[in-house]
Amino acid sequence: MKRKIAIAMGGYSSEYKISLNSGELVYKHTDRDLFEPYRAHILEEGWFIVLDNGEKLQINKADFSVEIDNEKITFDSVFNIIHGTPGEDGIFQGYLEMLNIPQTACDYYQAALTFNKRDCISILRAYGIKTAKNYFLNKGDEYHEDEIIDRVGLPCFVKANKAGSSFGISKVKKKEDLAAAINFSFEEDEEVIIESFLDGTEVSVGVIQYKGEVLPLPVTEIISENEFFDYEAKYLGMSKEITPANISEEDRIKVQNQAKRIFQVLKLKGLTRAEFIFHEGEPHFLEVNTNPGLSEASILPQQAKAAGISLKDLFTNVIEASHS
């Protein structure tokens, strides 16, 4: 009997279209000899299984099942590729755990922790992981621009704390632009993180569970045509992504070991991708994605290819690991 796998994609955030693209790639490359995949669209307007003919069938949230041709279908596991809430912040993971349905991403606590940039950075600093200097704001807080600039300097980055794919992020070069950038971030989230500018080479390192081991993938160097690696750079071709990165062997080992350590310290699972900037010769941690993009243009599939891992093999391994 082939195991029935729901590929959960979409979400409730600005990233849902990217997630749908990722989910389609997973659906396309799922091994049909082992699994019977189903598209599960998890959207604000509803949860649906989408058939190949485009028909949408409502998912019963009581047990995450669907009725197809008068037959009730339940799922052996869920390939969770939802970007943003509810699949990357722990809500969907907690729901599936209550139903005792395995899923491929990290567990609910780890998802909530890594989705919150401020909390994640605070934890990793305690383990000696280098990061930018930062300043935290909540919506409604009174703040003083001079105090922020004294802490983080200029230029600086203003980011929505719980948003992915570079939504709600600005690079601020002048004091008079700071308030507008903060308001822009508050449109995405009620919490903001303001970080010092780190001058250096930006790299991304995928870390996956593969054949029972935690495996860092080849490093990707990111050269953005924009001011930083924003939404356009990530998804609209406004960047060069070089895999393997044009860095020294010493730096490659250093950043791969750092990414693997973060994966283990945070007790992550499945497919992840950590971002760093080499600043003054040392990798400084930016963030970790626990449901990284898996579209044709995404970084992690590029890295898997460079490691000699096919997408079919990659996805089979992560599904198998969810059952262990």
Side-chain angles (χ1 to χ4, degrees):
M1 287 285 289
K2 295 180 187 178
R3 277 182 276 174
K4 292 180 170 61
I5 310 298
I7 301 167
M9 59 186 93
Y12 305 164
S13 77
S14 307
E15 306 170 76
Y16 80 94
K17 288 183 181 177
I18 306 302
S19 175
L20 294 177
N21 289 339
S22 295
E24 283 299 322
L25 190 79
V26 175
Y27 183 77
K28 177 181 174 183
H29 290 279
T30 300
D31 190 337
R32 292 331 196 253
D33 293 333
L34 299 175
F35 309 112
E36 194 177 315
Y38 294 79
R39 299 179 188 87
H41 285 201
I42 310 300
L43 303 169
E44 281 190 295
E45 61 262 30
W47 293 15
F48 307 99
I49 294 297
V50 180
L51 304 182
D52 285 342
N53 63 8
E55 184 182 358
K56 291 182 177 182
L57 303 173
Q58 194 156 339
I59 292 171
N60 183 349
K61 293 182 184 179
D63 58 1
F64 201 68
S65 67
V66 67
E67 193 172 292
I68 302 177
D69 296 331
N70 297 318
E71 179 189 357
K72 180 177 178 176
I73 304 292
T74 58
F75 300 100
D76 297 292
S77 63
V78 174
F79 196 116
N80 178 4
I81 194 56
I82 298 169
H83 303 336
T85 190
E88 204 168 2
D89 58 1
I91 295 171
F92 192 58
Q93 286 92 327
Y95 160 78
L96 291 175
E97 185 162 318
M98 286 195 298
L99 295 175
N100 202 28
I101 301 174
Q103 57 91 38
T104 55
C106 62
D107 294 333
Y108 67 90
Y109 172 74
Q110 284 76 15
L113 174 63
T114 53
F115 196 67
N116 188 311
K117 296 181 182 75
R118 303 189 326 192
D119 290 354
C120 187
I121 285 168
S122 299
I123 294 272
L124 290 175
R125 272 188 176 163
Y127 285 88
I129 305 293
K130 289 181 169 62
T131 70
K133 296 174 185 173
N134 50 50
Y135 191 102
F136 301 158
L137 275 179
N138 294 332
K139 200 163 194 175
D141 283 354
E142 186 179 320
Y143 63 87
H144 301 283
E145 292 167 352
D146 289 333
E147 183 181 311
I148 294 170
I149 292 167
D150 285 345
R151 172 88 64 86
V152 303
L154 286 173
C156 65
F157 284 102
V158 182
K159 302 177 180 180
N161 186 42
K162 298 189 294 292
S165 294
S166 300
F167 284 104
I169 179 171
S170 308
K171 184 177 181 181
V172 175
K173 299 176 182 177
K174 298 180 291 187
K175 174 183 170 181
E176 51 265 36
D177 296 334
L178 186 59
I182 289 169
N183 290 336
F184 177 63
S185 293
F186 278 138
E187 290 176 15
E188 283 289 331
D189 186 35
E190 293 189 346
E191 298 173 353
V192 163
I193 178 169
I194 305 170
E195 294 182 327
S196 61
F197 171 66
L198 298 174
D199 189 23
T201 301
E202 183 167 354
V203 298
S204 182
V205 188
V207 181
I208 64 174
Q209 286 177 302
Y210 188 71
K211 297 186 177 178
E213 294 184 16
V214 176
L215 177 69
L217 293 173
V219 181
T220 297
E221 180 180 354
I222 297 163
I223 304 171
S224 177
E225 295 177 23
N226 294 350
E227 279 279 359
F228 56 93
F229 195 45
D230 60 4
Y231 182 87
E232 285 186 339
K234 279 187 181 179
Y235 298 118
L236 302 180
M238 302 294 287
S239 69
K240 290 180 183 175
E241 294 152 11
I242 302 166
T243 309
N246 186 26
I247 58 177
S248 69
E249 182 69 3
E250 180 186 358
D251 282 348
R252 179 192 67 77
I253 292 169
K254 193 184 291 185
V255 77
Q256 282 183 320
N257 287 342
Q258 191 81 289
K260 181 177 178 179
R261 183 162 178 251
I262 288 167
F263 187 101
Q264 293 170 322
V265 161
L266 297 177
K267 300 178 181 176
L268 301 180
K269 294 194 316 181
L271 308 175
T272 71
R273 202 187 72 230
E275 319 294 340
F276 300 88
I277 288 182
F278 273 95
H279 180 65
E280 297 178 350
E282 293 295 324
H284 284 59
F285 172 77
L286 298 177
E287 63 179 3
V288 61
N289 293 302
T290 57
N291 276 357
L294 295 176
S295 66
E296 297 283 1
S298 296
I299 291 171
L300 197 138
Q302 294 177 30
Q303 294 177 342
K305 183 179 179 181
I309 301 170
S310 71
L311 291 178
K312 184 193 284 188
D313 194 20
L314 182 71
F315 299 154
T316 295
N317 269 271
V318 77
I319 293 167
E320 297 289 3
S322 73
H323 288 269
S324 61

